[in-house]
Amino acid sequence: MTKKLYIQTLGCAMNERDSEHIIAELAQKERYDLTDDPKQADLILINTCSVREKPERKLFSEIGQFALHKKQGAKIGVCGCTASHLGGEIIKKSPHVDFVLGARNTSKITQVLHTPKAVEVDIDYDDSTYVFASPQTMGIKALLNISIGCDKKCSYCIVPFTRGKEISIPQDLLLNEARKLAAKGVKELLLLGQNVNNYGVRFSVPHEKVDFATLLHNLSEIDGIERLRFTSPHPLHMNDEFLAEFARNPKICKSIHIPLQSGSSKILKAMKRGYTKEWYLERVAKLREFCAREGREDVGISTDIIVGFPGESDADFEDTLDVARQVRFDTMYSFIYSPRPHTSAYNTESSLLVDSEVAKERLATLQNLHREILAQKSQDEIGRVVEVLVENHHKQERWSEGRSDHNRLIKIGNFVGDIGEIVRVKITNAQGGSLSGEVIAYA
Ligand code: SAH
Ligand code: SF4
Ligand code: F3S
């Protein structure tokens, strides 16, 4: 008899990928089917994020809610980054929890399931060569982890303490997995890692020397894989070889996430990011120059920004606005600094802390600026012809939707065909940040 699994996933794409692995392992080895109703579930999993304080604070009230409404005998497990961070404390604080599985220990899911009160949170554990069960159903897009952990120690960030040191997954395993995915109909791969362009820095098995540009090139040679995306590269490792491969390889989508964090060189230094405002702007200029040489003026750039980092003055924040104006990001994820345990910025002296009202105002200013820039950029898109992978198709209502390779979501009015097709679309309309257009050619 099959059992039911309910899984709630918070956090980044790496957690999403870990959830996919857990679902596939439990389906294949323990006969669990997914349900979206926690009341029906035999197993409730919360896959958590620790990157900011708020979601972490909510964990215990969520466990309480699940415990109140769950089926009798149903188990509750806590996985992911908060599991790594709080470990056994979770079970001490909440007796409803049956096991705790750290973000670095995902491959042990079937073990902890059968070990009452198990706590598996070793951040030195290495499952970089573990081959997870395959998911039963597959769409046209898939996630693929290329490395685990992170060697950087950005002074605000808890991730190195929840996911451990950086290890790259052997290239052969990645190429095999990508071939399997292509055979199942996957057209677009999103490569995942905290520092994807540091790929090859260290393997846990003997391995030839290989860098990220080479990996991208080799993946792009696989028949059936039409598009490659990746997240996140680090500005420090954006060398010319990588930028050249990015610009010239037609299978690499012309959109890139380049986390800025701050536009002030002083704050970047305090954050231990390893680059300056000038370095960041120069790398972006080089990227655009390389892409323009290949006829691609429209490369999409997204970013992450933290406001209110300790010591951030009005002038520092002005530098962040200045970079936002110069780069004109297509997508911006912006956050107020949240102090995290273990990190080197955690115990900053109170005189450096930014008043929370000031931080909120800065966030609003930055987000307003971004909205204005995006609306202008969207107007510039009108008339452009872009390649779109159709992801949604509503025949009756006569509209479809997909992402352009420069990562804009585009509504299409006249598409006739099937999900998964790549078509050429002329952009005809822009409203705020939304774009729509018409198919002008099928593949
Ligand atoms: N490896 C990625 C980041 C992963 S964390 C990189 O280097 O860009 C995702 C984002 O969360 C970060 O880019 C940062 O903007 C944000 N973040 C991390 N720690 C934070 C903190 N303590 N407070 C607020 N935002 C934070
Ligand atoms: Fe965190 Fe920095 Fe590593 Fe990104 S590079 S995961 S921000 S420590
Ligand atoms: Fe991702 Fe959150 Fe962990 S951002 S790496 S799930 S702390």
Side-chain angles (χ1 to χ4, degrees), residues 150 152-154 156-160 194-195 234 261 273:
C150 177
K152 301 265 186 286
K153 286 270 162 21
C154 302
Y156 51 82
C157 183
I158 199 170
V159 173
Q194 294 300 346
N195 260 308
H234 194 292
Q261 312 302 1
R273 287 292 288 178

Side-chain angles (χ1 to χ4, degrees), residues 120-136:
E120 288 287 348
V121 293
D122 179 5
I123 66 158
D124 294 322
Y125 188 68
D126 174 15
D127 59 9
S128 65
T129 53
Y130 185 84
V131 179
F132 285 90
S134 300
Q136 284 164 325

Side-chain angles (χ1 to χ4, degrees), residues 51-52 156 194 259 261 273 304 306 335-338 340:
V51 85
R52 281 168 291 276
Y156 51 82
Q194 294 300 346
Q261 312 302 1
R273 287 292 288 178
D304 288 346
I306 297 175
F335 317 97
I336 292 177
Y337 168 67
S338 167
R340 305 305 295 126

Side-chain angles (χ1 to χ4, degrees), residues 8-12 15 46-63 78-79 81-83 85-86 158 335-336 338-340:
Q8 172 185 294
T9 309
L10 303 165
C12 64
N15 255 21
I46 313 176
N47 194 3
T48 57
C49 173
S50 277
V51 85
R52 281 168 291 276
E53 193 197 354
K54 218 168 156 190
E56 199 177 275
R57 242 193 290 137
K58 281 189 3 212
L59 174 66
F60 291 97
S61 60
E62 273 168 357
I63 297 171
V78 176
C79 335
C81 285
T82 311
H85 172 211
L86 299 178
I158 199 170
F335 317 97
I336 292 177
S338 167
R340 305 305 295 126

Side-chain angles (χ1 to χ4, degrees), residues 13 52 78 83 86 117 151 177 184 192 196 254 270 387 442:
R52 281 168 291 276
V78 176
L86 299 178
K117 302 293 170 190
D151 278 354
E177 179 71 13
K184 287 185 175 166
L192 299 178
V196 280
K254 296 300 172 274
E387 281 194 354
Y442 289 82

Side-chain angles (χ1 to χ4, degrees), residues 204-306:
S204 59
V205 290
H207 200 288
E208 65 186 309
K209 224 175 140 38
V210 53
D211 63 7
F212 186 54
T214 313
L215 175 70
L216 280 173
H217 180 80
N218 292 342
L219 284 167
S220 75
E221 303 229 294
I222 295 175
D223 282 344
I225 297 296
E226 304 289 346
R227 284 177 152 195
L228 290 170
R229 298 187 193 274
F230 49 83
T231 194
S232 292
H234 194 292
L236 199 60
H237 304 298
M238 297 213 340
N239 57 27
D240 285 1
E241 292 72 41
F242 160 65
L243 294 183
E245 182 65 28
F246 179 86
R248 100 182 133 224
N249 190 326
K251 286 196 180 173
I252 301 178
C253 289
K254 296 300 172 274
S255 78
I256 183 166
H257 185 68
I258 317 179
L260 169 66
Q261 312 302 1
S262 169
S264 151
S265 296
K266 180 190 101 188
I267 296 297
L268 286 168
K269 190 159 182 217
M271 288 175 161
K272 302 207 174 78
R273 287 292 288 178
Y275 54 88
T276 59
K277 174 186 181 185
E278 290 69 30
W279 168 277
Y280 186 94
L281 288 172
E282 191 275 333
R283 287 291 86 192
V284 168
K286 196 70 160 215
L287 164 79
R288 286 194 163 137
E289 180 195 318
F290 280 18
C291 288
R293 259 195 246 153
E294 304 288 334
R296 293 297 305 257
E297 311 276 348
D298 59 342
V299 53
I301 304 182
S302 60
T303 201
D304 288 346
I305 293 178
I306 297 175

Side-chain angles (χ1 to χ4, degrees), residues 333-350:
Y333 303 94
S334 45
F335 317 97
I336 292 177
Y337 168 67
S338 167
R340 305 305 295 126
H342 307 300
T343 64
S344 59
Y346 187 56
N347 291 317
T348 312
E349 51 178 293
S350 55

